[in-house]
């Protein structure tokens, strides 16, 4: 039976400053089930990152509720991993130590830490680079380390805000293949924001479309392209007529 990991109930965010009030997201109802890979698309400034920050616990709703496993989210913790567009690694720690950092903070014992870090170094294909420092890595490598650093804690929910937005096209496809494999292997729920509709269709089990600000979820579309690619052992999805149709119809909704 499916299990709700995240539940938003009429969650609304209004940013207030001395001079103005910005209504970032309207009352949103949303449930994310365990194991879902949700991709969110929508126009710039419609409130996508605001929605992610609610789930991460960086922000509280102005009204309504945001719950994880039935409990109101009170703040960030390791059960919610977050990966941003610009990876924030510790420059003074090498790759291995960056990945290990969260486990150390959580006082996980040394042998267990080694097993976990070794496993994720392998999953991101960086076993040979474990001794390098962030300044010695390419953008794609840094983003892989940032992903591993979140994943190593086995978060129940991985939140990603345009994680591949700054990467070149080839690295991007490789990273998409990697996140698909990581998702298949680790069975966590993923919520990924992207401005790229093809990326959303290629990765998600469900694509959410947000309206312009104040954002509302206007479409929720189950998709199967990523699971098919995994089943076929392929790094890329098969683009058929239904894929192109969905891409066009989502684009129209975003531009409305
Ligand atoms: N801390 C803040 N204080 C005031 N207004 C904010 C704050 N953060 C975001 N906003 C405003 O809230 C609205 C939604 O912003 P948000 O960053 O959630 O949009 P987004 O959909 O992620 O945009 P993009 O696609 O450009 O990243 C925007 O009008 C933005 O200016
Ligand atoms: Mg954003």
């Amino acid at each position: 039976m499916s299990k709700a990991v995240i539940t938003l109930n009429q969650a609304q965010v209004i940013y207030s400053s001395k001079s103005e009030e910005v209504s970032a997201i309207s009352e949103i109802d949303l449930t994310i089930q365990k194991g879902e890979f949700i991709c969110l698309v929508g126009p710039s400034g419609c409130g996508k990152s605001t929605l992610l920050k609610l789930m991460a616990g960086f922000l509280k709703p102005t009204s309504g509720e945001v719950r994880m496993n039935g409990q109101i989210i009170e703040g960030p913790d390791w059960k919610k991993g977050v990966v941003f567009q610009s990876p924030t690694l510790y420059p003074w720690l090498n790759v291995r130590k960056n990945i290990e950092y969260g486990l150390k903070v959580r006082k996980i014992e040394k042998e267990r830490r080694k097993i976990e870090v070794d496993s994720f170094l392998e999953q991101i294909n960086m076993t040979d680079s474990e001794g390098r420092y962030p300044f010695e890595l390419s953008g794609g490598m840094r983003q892989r380390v940032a992903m591993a650093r979140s994943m190593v804690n086995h978060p129940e929910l991985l939140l990603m805000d345009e994680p591949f937005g700054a990467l070149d096209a080839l690295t991007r496809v490789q990273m998409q293949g990697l996140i698909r494999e990581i998702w298949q292997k680790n069975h966590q729920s993923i919520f990924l924001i992207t401005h790229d509709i093809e990326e959303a269709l290629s990765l998600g089990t469900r694509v959410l479309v947000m309206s312009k600000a104040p954002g509302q979820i206007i479409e929720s579309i189950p998709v199967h392209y990523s699971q098919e690619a995994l089943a076929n052992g392929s790094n890329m999805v098969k683009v058929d007529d239904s894929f192109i149709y969905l891409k066009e119809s989502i684009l129209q909704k975003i531009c409305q």
Side-chain angles (χ1 to χ4, degrees):
M1 217 181 81
S2 54
K3 172 180 169 251
V5 175
I6 289 282
T7 325
L8 276 84
N9 184 7
Q10 294 285 292
Q12 183 190 31
V13 174
I14 300 172
Y15 293 109
S16 299
S17 66
K18 275 185 195 147
S19 54
E20 61 169 350
E21 285 200 336
V22 178
S23 182
I25 57 170
S26 306
E27 290 92 345
I28 289 186
D29 289 322
L30 173 67
T31 302
I32 300 179
Q33 305 288 353
K34 184 169 169 24
E36 273 199 292
F37 193 148
I38 304 278
C39 290
L40 176 68
V41 293
S44 180
C46 72
K48 301 182 294 299
S49 298
T50 300
L51 184 56
L52 181 141
K53 285 175 195 163
L54 281 179
M55 296 185 210
F58 297 153
L59 198 67
K60 293 221 163 130
T62 313
S63 62
E65 286 177 351
V66 187
R67 292 177 182 269
M68 182 163 181
N69 296 326
Q71 305 292 314
I72 296 276
I73 294 178
E74 298 289 357
D77 59 48
W78 61 267
K79 289 180 186 160
K80 309 179 283 275
V82 186
V83 177
F84 293 106
Q85 181 171 352
S86 321
T88 43
L89 302 176
Y90 298 118
W92 62 90
L93 296 180
N94 66 21
V95 166
R96 171 175 284 277
K97 290 196 166 147
N98 259 289
I99 298 174
E100 191 183 17
Y101 184 82
L103 298 174
K104 255 186 157 168
V105 170
R106 286 172 49 218
K107 301 196 169 30
I108 305 292
E109 61 166 35
K110 202 173 170 189
E111 283 97 88
R112 183 85 223 148
R113 291 204 308 261
K114 182 166 170 14
I115 293 168
E116 291 288 356
V117 176
D118 284 349
S119 158
F120 277 93
L121 278 168
E122 199 182 313
Q123 286 188 55
I124 61 168
N125 304 320
M126 284 192 59
T127 306
D128 294 343
S129 308
E130 62 166 85
R132 290 211 210 167
Y133 286 83
F135 77 92
E136 297 173 296
L137 305 175
S138 70
M141 287 165 120
R142 275 201 288 273
Q143 196 57 298
R144 278 187 270 161
V145 177
M147 266 162 51
R149 202 176 55 168
S150 285
M151 298 292 305
V152 79
N153 291 305
H154 294 278
E156 288 179 59
L157 178 68
L158 184 62
L159 299 160
M160 308 178 92
D161 198 344
E162 305 211 23
F164 313 138
L167 304 176
D168 65 272
L170 179 61
T171 311
R172 203 178 166 118
V173 170
Q174 287 167 343
M175 294 293 287
Q176 289 170 353
L178 180 68
I179 190 69
R180 227 183 255 125
E181 280 167 19
I182 286 180
W183 170 71
Q184 187 188 39
K185 185 159 191 280
N186 299 282
H187 308 292
Q188 72 287 74
S189 312
I190 299 185
F191 179 88
L192 181 146
I193 296 173
T194 175
H195 59 262
D196 180 344
I197 300 171
E198 284 193 20
E199 179 166 274
L201 291 170
S202 306
L203 290 180
T205 53
R206 185 151 64 107
V207 175
L208 300 178
V209 184
M210 219 164 166
S211 68
K212 57 177 182 274
Q216 275 184 320
I217 310 285
I218 50 172
E219 282 284 342
S220 170
I221 309 162
V223 283
H224 50 80
Y225 306 101
S226 176
Q227 281 141 302
E228 277 170 14
L230 282 167
N232 295 334
S234 166
N235 203 20
M236 290 172 85
V237 301
K238 196 159 162 262
V239 176
D240 59 11
D241 288 350
S242 71
F243 186 100
I244 294 165
Y245 169 80
L246 278 176
K247 184 184 164 190
E248 286 299 317
S249 73
I250 292 172
L251 190 60
Q252 275 176 16
K253 292 217 166 66
I254 289 178
C255 295
Q256 260 169 19

